[in-house]
Amino acid sequence: MKFLRKINLEIDKDIYNPIQVKQSDNARYLLFRILDNGVPFSLENKTVRCFGKKPDGKEIYNDMSITNATKGECELRLTSGALSAPGILQLEIEIKENEDILSTFLLDVDVKRSLRSNSSIESTNEFTALENGIIKLDEWDKYFKETSGQIEQKYTTELNNVKSSLEENTKYLNDITINAMCPPVGFDLIPCRIDGVTDDWDAVKRLFDFIKQIGGGSILFPYTGKDLLVSKELQIKASNLTLDIRCNIRTTSTSKRSLLKIEADSLINPIRNVTIRGNGAILDGNGSNMVDYIYSESDNKYNTFFAWGVHNLIIEGVIFANGLVNCCNLIGCKDFKVYNCKFYGSIHDNGFQTASNPKGIGLYNPNDIDSYTNGLIENCESFNNCDLGFTSFQSPHVIFKNCVSYNNGNYATSYGRGGGFSAEVGTLTPRYDMEVIYENCKAYENVGYGYYIDMDGVELKNCKAEGTKHTKEADATQRYGNGITVLSSRKNIKITGDFKSNEKHGIRILSLQGDDNSIKNVYIKANCNENGLCGLSGQGINYCELNGVYENNKEHGIKIENIENYGLKKSKVILGVIKCINNGLAGVYLSGHDEVYLEDVYAFKNRQLSSSGSNIVIFNGNYVCGNNVRTYKGDSLTLTIGIQIYTMGKSKLFNICGDFGQSANLQDSSTTKIGVYNGNIADLSSSDSIEQIIIKINTILDRLRNSNIINS
C-alpha cells in the first residue's frame, strides 16, 4: 500500500500551510515538484536528499527518489521512524550537482498524535543517505581488494573499444539523413505516416529528441502528396540541425500555440548551425481556423515558426502561412539568411519579423560585435498579413534584397495599421545607426505604409512603393497612405527609387518639434509621381539633399515646412537636378529654412489647381542661392511668376530663366541678381518657316547673352 501526496514546491519560497500526517505511519509518501518561478527545475544529473529535524530534536538524513528529472519531480518516503514523535517535523530538501548544493526553504510537517501504542517505536536519528553511501564504499573496497587494484589494467581496452564504437555510431547518425518515415531501429523511434489523416506529433517529437541526444543531424520529411499533421506544438533544441521538408506540415490544433519552435535556453548558450529547406513546402499555423479569436499581449509567442537565440540560421524555400500572430518570427538570432520564402495570412501581426531581443538582455551596442544581428532576407514575398509584410525591430545590420510586400495591413483603428516594410527602433536608447538596408524591394497595394521608418541609419536602394492606401483612422499628420513615412527625430536616411500613385504622399517625412527633435541628414533621389497629395512632403527637417522627378502630383511636387512652431534655428535644403512638372500647386514650396540652395532645378507648368501662383516658392528663408534655375509657364494659364522669394536676408541668383513677364519676384533689395532673363520663348510658332525659326532663336540667344546667362 502506498499513499502519495503531491506538493508543488518553489525553490525560493516558503510553504505556509503545514503538511498533516499521522504518527507512526509508514505508507505515506510525498511527491515534490520542484519549481523555479512556476517553471519545473530540472533534476537531470543531480542527487536529491532530505534533511529533517523531529519535534524531539532527533535528526533524519534520507535519500530521495527522482521520478521525473525534466519535470523536477522527486519522492520522499516518510518512515515510521521519521514520524515517531508527534509535533512539527521540519524538512529541507538538498539538491546536489557535483560540488554545488542548492536547498529549499524549510517546510513543516504536522505529525498528529496516534492512539496506537508507540512504546515499541523509539525515536532515533535516521541517516539512510549516509548508510547507503557507506554500503557502496564497502562494496567498492571489497571489489578493489578482490581484483588487487588491477581494474584499470583489466578493463581499459574494453572501455576504450566501447567509447570508440559509440563515437563512430554517433558520427554515422550525424552524417546520414534520417527519413522520418523510416527512422533507425532500436532507438524508440516510430515512423511518420504523412498521410493527411494520422497525428504524427509523437513521431516527430521522438525524432527531434533523438537528434538533440546525438548532438545534431539531418531529418527528411519526404513528399507523399499528403500533409504531415500534428496536434501539438513541435519544439526542438538542437544545434547542427538540418530539416529537409518536402511535404506540407500543418497543425490541427485550434488553440493558441505555434507550429514549430527552435528556442535556446539562453542567449549565453545559443543554438548554432540550423538549416531549414522547404522546397516550396508550406508550414501552416492554422491561425485562420481560430474561432472568435481575441488578441492579448501574451499571444506574441504563438507563430507559425518561432526561433529565439539561434546563430547561423539558414531558411530556404519555405512558405510560412496562417500564423496566429506572426508567420515567421526570428528573435535574438544572429547571422541568419532567409532565401526564396513566402509569408502570408498572419491573423494578428506580421508576415516576417526580426527583432534583436525583446526579453531585455543582449540589446544592440555598436561597439559590441556580438550584439549585431547580421541578417539577409532575399527574394522573399509577404502578402495578405494583418499588419506588416516585413519588419525589422531593433535589429542592426539587416538587408532586405529583392523582396516584395503587397496587400498587407488593415483598416482598423486600434492595432497596427500595417504596410509593406518597416524599420523600427522602439524605445532603444541611446539611438544608433542600425544600418538596415532595403535593396530593389517593392511595396504595393498595402494599407497604412509602403515603407515605415522609425530608426536611424536606414537606406532604400532603388525601391518602389505604389498604391498605398490610407486607413479609416483620422490622421491629422498624414502619416498613413504614403509610399514612405519617416517618423520622429531620425537621422542618416537615404532613399532612392520610384514612389507613385499612393493615396497621400509619395514620401512623407515628419519630425517632432525643435532642433533636438529634427530629422537630420536626409538624402533623396526619387521619382514621386501621380500621388494623391505631394510628391515629397516634409516637416521639421534639419538637413536634406534632394534630386529626382516630382510630376503630376495633386498638390506640391516638393513641400518642406519648418515653420508652425518647429522652431529650427538652423536648417539647410539643397535641391540639385530637380524636375517638378505639372503639379497641382507649386512645383517647389520651401518655408522656414536658414539656407536654401537651388542647383539645376527645372519647374514647368505647375499650379494647375490654383488661380495664380509660382513654380517655385521660398518663404521665410534667410539665405537663398540659385544657379541654373529654369522655370517655365508652358500653356498654363494660372502660373504668373517663375520663382518667388519672400523675406530672406540675402540671396544670390545665377542663371534664372523662364518664359514669364517676371521670372523672379524678389522681396529684398539685398539680393544679388546675375543673369536673370525675362524673355518669352512663346515667340516661336509651329507655323514658322525654318528661316523664321532661325531668326527668332538668334533673337532669344541675343537676349540670353545680354543677360549674362550664356557667354557665346
Side-chain angles (χ1 to χ4, degrees):
M1 181 176 64
K2 182 176 181 180
F3 184 84
L4 186 67
R5 179 170 179 178
K6 298 180 180 180
I7 300 167
N8 288 334
L9 180 61
E10 288 282 349
I11 199 155
D12 59 353
K13 293 182 181 179
D14 287 317
I15 290 183
Y16 295 102
N17 297 321
I19 303 165
Q20 294 185 338
V21 297
K22 285 295 296 294
Q23 179 187 8
S24 302
D25 287 354
N26 63 2
R28 294 185 181 272
Y29 292 76
L30 301 180
L31 177 62
F32 293 96
R33 189 181 184 207
I34 310 298
L35 304 173
D36 181 13
N37 198 22
V39 178
F41 182 84
S42 175
L43 299 178
E44 292 181 308
N45 302 317
K46 300 177 179 65
T47 57
V48 184
R49 296 187 177 96
C50 180
F51 178 82
K53 182 169 288 189
K54 302 182 191 181
D56 58 3
K58 297 294 193 299
E59 296 178 346
I60 61 174
Y61 188 52
N62 294 345
D63 285 319
M64 296 178 64
S65 301
I66 297 175
T67 58
N68 191 321
T70 58
K71 291 185 178 180
E73 293 180 354
C74 54
E75 187 179 276
L76 172 67
R77 181 189 180 191
L78 296 175
T79 64
S80 57
L83 303 181
S84 59
I88 299 299
L89 167 64
Q90 290 187 316
L91 300 179
E92 181 182 85
I93 296 176
E94 174 193 88
I95 303 169
K96 188 173 183 180
E97 183 178 18
N98 297 326
E99 299 300 318
D100 297 329
I101 297 176
L102 184 67
S103 60
T104 66
F105 289 4
L106 298 181
L107 57 124
D108 295 337
V109 177
D110 188 3
V111 183
K112 299 295 185 181
R113 183 180 299 277
S114 174
L115 295 177
R116 291 170 291 151
S117 172
N118 61 354
S119 58
S120 62
I121 300 176
E122 180 181 356
S123 178
T124 61
N125 294 314
E126 188 174 279
F127 299 111
T128 60
L130 296 179
E131 292 168 358
N132 291 337
I134 291 170
I135 291 172
K136 289 180 180 179
L137 287 174
D138 289 340
E139 291 174 350
W140 274 104
D141 182 65
K142 179 181 178 182
Y143 180 77
F144 274 106
K145 287 179 180 177
E146 290 177 350
T147 57
S148 302
Q150 296 178 354
I151 187 170
E152 181 176 353
Q153 177 182 346
K154 187 174 183 179
Y155 290 104
T156 293
T157 302
E158 186 174 340
L159 290 173
N160 285 340
N161 289 336
V162 171
K163 179 181 178 183
S164 176
S165 177
L166 288 173
E167 289 176 348
E168 289 178 2
N169 288 337
T170 299
K171 183 177 185 299
Y172 171 74
L173 290 171
N174 285 339
D175 289 342
I176 68 170
T177 296
I178 299 174
N179 189 323
M181 298 183 72
C182 304
V185 297
F187 295 98
D188 194 30
L189 300 174
I190 58 177
C192 291
R193 300 292 295 274
I194 316 183
D195 57 9
V197 177
T198 305
D199 180 6
D200 283 323
W201 178 82
D202 185 48
V204 178
K205 180 183 182 300
R206 293 188 189 199
L207 267 177
F208 284 177
D209 291 344
F210 176 69
I211 287 293
K212 179 183 179 182
Q213 180 182 353
I214 66 174
S218 300
I219 303 175
L220 168 66
F221 295 95
Y223 176 78
T224 65
K226 303 289 184 179
D227 290 353
L228 187 156
L229 303 182
V230 294
S231 60
K232 302 176 186 178
E233 181 177 280
L234 295 171
Q235 297 185 24
I236 186 167
K237 295 187 175 184
S239 293
N240 307 312
L241 167 71
T242 297
L243 299 181
D244 188 349
I245 304 172
R246 304 187 184 185
C247 62
N248 298 336
I249 302 178
R250 177 165 55 90
T251 177
T252 58
S253 171
T254 55
S255 60
K256 296 181 179 181
R257 55 172 49 100
S258 297
L259 171 60
L260 176 61
K261 277 188 176 182
I262 301 179
E263 191 171 7
D265 292 325
S266 70
L267 292 180
I268 300 174
N269 186 27
I271 291 173
R272 300 180 184 275
N273 307 323
V274 174
T275 298
I276 303 175
R277 297 191 184 96
N279 305 284
I282 300 173
L283 299 186
D284 191 341
N286 202 29
S288 58
N289 289 333
M290 289 290 294
V291 179
D292 299 326
Y293 169 63
I294 299 176
Y295 170 79
S296 65
E297 289 189 5
S298 61
D299 293 352
N300 284 332
K301 57 187 175 182
Y302 302 124
N303 308 270
T304 298
F305 174 71
F306 178 79
W308 185 77
V310 181
H311 292 194
N312 193 20
L313 170 65
I314 298 174
I315 305 174
E316 184 175 3
V318 183
I319 300 174
F320 299 90
N322 299 319
L324 184 62
V325 179
N326 299 289
C327 291
C328 180
N329 197 1
L330 309 184
I331 309 295
C333 297
K334 298 178 183 177
D335 301 317
F336 62 82
K337 296 178 177 65
V338 183
Y339 302 108
N340 306 317
C341 292
K342 296 182 180 180
F343 316 91
Y344 71 85
S346 71
I347 305 307
H348 177 73
D349 215 332
N350 309 308
F352 173 88
Q353 173 174 289
T354 171
S356 58
N357 177 31
K359 292 187 177 181
I361 57 176
L363 293 177
Y364 171 57
N365 180 341
N367 298 319
D368 178 11
I369 194 170
D370 290 333
S371 70
Y372 291 5
T373 300
N374 290 337
L376 172 64
I377 303 92
E378 186 172 6
N379 297 326
C380 293
E381 292 183 30
S382 193
F383 53 93
N384 297 343
N385 297 290
C386 173
D387 195 0
L388 291 151
F390 297 90
T391 183
S392 175
F393 183 81
Q394 291 185 358
S395 290
H397 305 275
V398 177
I399 299 174
F400 295 85
K401 189 174 183 179
N402 302 323
C403 293
V404 180
S405 188
Y406 58 95
N407 292 333
N408 299 291
N410 64 88
Y411 288 99
T413 59
S414 59
Y415 184 75
R417 290 75 178 169
F421 299 85
S422 82
E424 304 174 54
V425 76
T427 58
L428 178 63
T429 55
R431 292 174 171 173
Y432 309 105
D433 278 0
M434 305 297 279
E435 297 186 22
V436 173
I437 297 174
Y438 299 95
E439 185 174 346
N440 298 321
C441 293
K442 183 176 181 180
Y444 63 92
E445 301 301 328
N446 297 290
V447 176
Y449 315 98
Y451 298 81
Y452 175 57
I453 300 174
D454 188 11
M455 177 187 287
D456 294 348
V458 178
E459 183 173 3
L460 277 69
K461 296 181 177 180
N462 192 31
C463 292
K464 297 181 179 180
E466 183 176 342
T468 311
K469 305 176 185 68
H470 196 281
T471 68
K472 294 180 180 179
E473 183 177 5
D475 184 15
T477 59
Q478 300 171 356
R479 59 186 291 182
Y480 306 118
N482 307 313
I484 300 178
T485 297
V486 182
L487 189 66
S488 189
S489 51
R490 296 299 165 202
K491 66 179 184 296
N492 301 334
I493 308 298
K494 299 178 181 179
I495 299 171
T496 62
D498 300 322
F499 310 96
K500 68 176 185 178
S501 301
N502 298 288
E503 186 173 342
K504 296 299 181 180
H505 305 281
I507 300 174
R508 174 67 167 157
I509 303 175
L510 179 66
S511 81
L512 304 174
Q513 295 181 354
D515 276 332
D516 292 339
N517 296 319
S518 63
I519 294 179
K520 304 174 179 67
N521 302 339
V522 178
Y523 306 88
I524 297 175
K525 181 180 181 181
N527 298 323
C528 296
N529 306 325
E530 301 175 8
N531 295 287
L533 293 177
C534 299
L536 183 150
S537 173
Q539 289 177 284
I541 300 176
N542 182 279
Y543 180 90
C544 67
E545 296 182 14
L546 309 177
N547 56 40
V549 178
Y550 304 83
E551 184 175 4
N552 294 322
N553 298 288
K554 189 173 182 180
E555 293 187 357
H556 299 87
I558 297 173
K559 182 180 182 181
I560 303 178
E561 298 178 285
N562 280 349
I563 56 176
E564 298 179 2
N565 299 320
Y566 274 86
L568 296 186
K569 298 175 182 178
K570 290 283 186 180
S571 66
K572 180 186 292 188
V573 176
I574 301 174
L575 274 63
V577 194
I578 292 283
K579 291 183 180 180
C580 289
I581 304 171
N582 205 37
N583 296 288
L585 297 176
V588 176
Y589 181 91
L590 306 174
S591 68
H593 299 282
D594 189 61
E595 298 179 46
V596 175
Y597 296 86
L598 309 177
E599 180 70 32
D600 195 9
V601 176
Y602 175 75
F604 173 74
K605 197 180 174 183
N606 296 290
R607 282 287 181 184
Q608 300 302 299
L609 298 180
S610 177
S611 59
S612 65
S614 308
N615 267 323
I616 301 173
V617 179
I618 301 174
F619 184 39
N620 277 359
N622 184 44
Y623 175 78
V624 178
C625 182
N627 183 37
N628 195 23
V629 179
R630 295 164 295 160
T631 167
Y632 296 102
K633 179 178 180 180
D635 58 357
S636 173
L637 301 177
T638 58
L639 202 56
T640 57
I641 299 175
I643 178 170
Q644 202 159 19
I645 304 176
Y646 298 92
T647 64
M648 67 288 181
K650 56 182 178 178
S651 297
K652 291 186 178 181
L653 301 178
F654 303 87
N655 301 340
I656 308 296
C657 63
D659 59 356
F660 307 94
Q662 189 175 36
S663 296
N665 182 12
L666 311 174
Q667 303 296 313
D668 193 286
S669 59
S670 65
T671 301
T672 301
K673 294 177 285 185
I674 302 176
V676 177
Y677 169 59
N678 297 325
N680 191 340
I681 297 176
D683 290 342
L684 291 171
S685 171
S686 60
S687 61
D688 290 339
S689 65
I690 296 296
E691 291 78 8
Q692 289 173 321
I693 291 174
I694 292 174
I695 292 171
K696 289 184 178 182
I697 289 176
N698 284 328
T699 301
I700 294 172
L701 291 174
D702 287 340
R703 293 174 183 171
L704 295 175
R705 292 187 188 97
N706 293 334
S707 298
N708 294 323
I709 292 177
I710 62 174
N711 296 320
S712 61

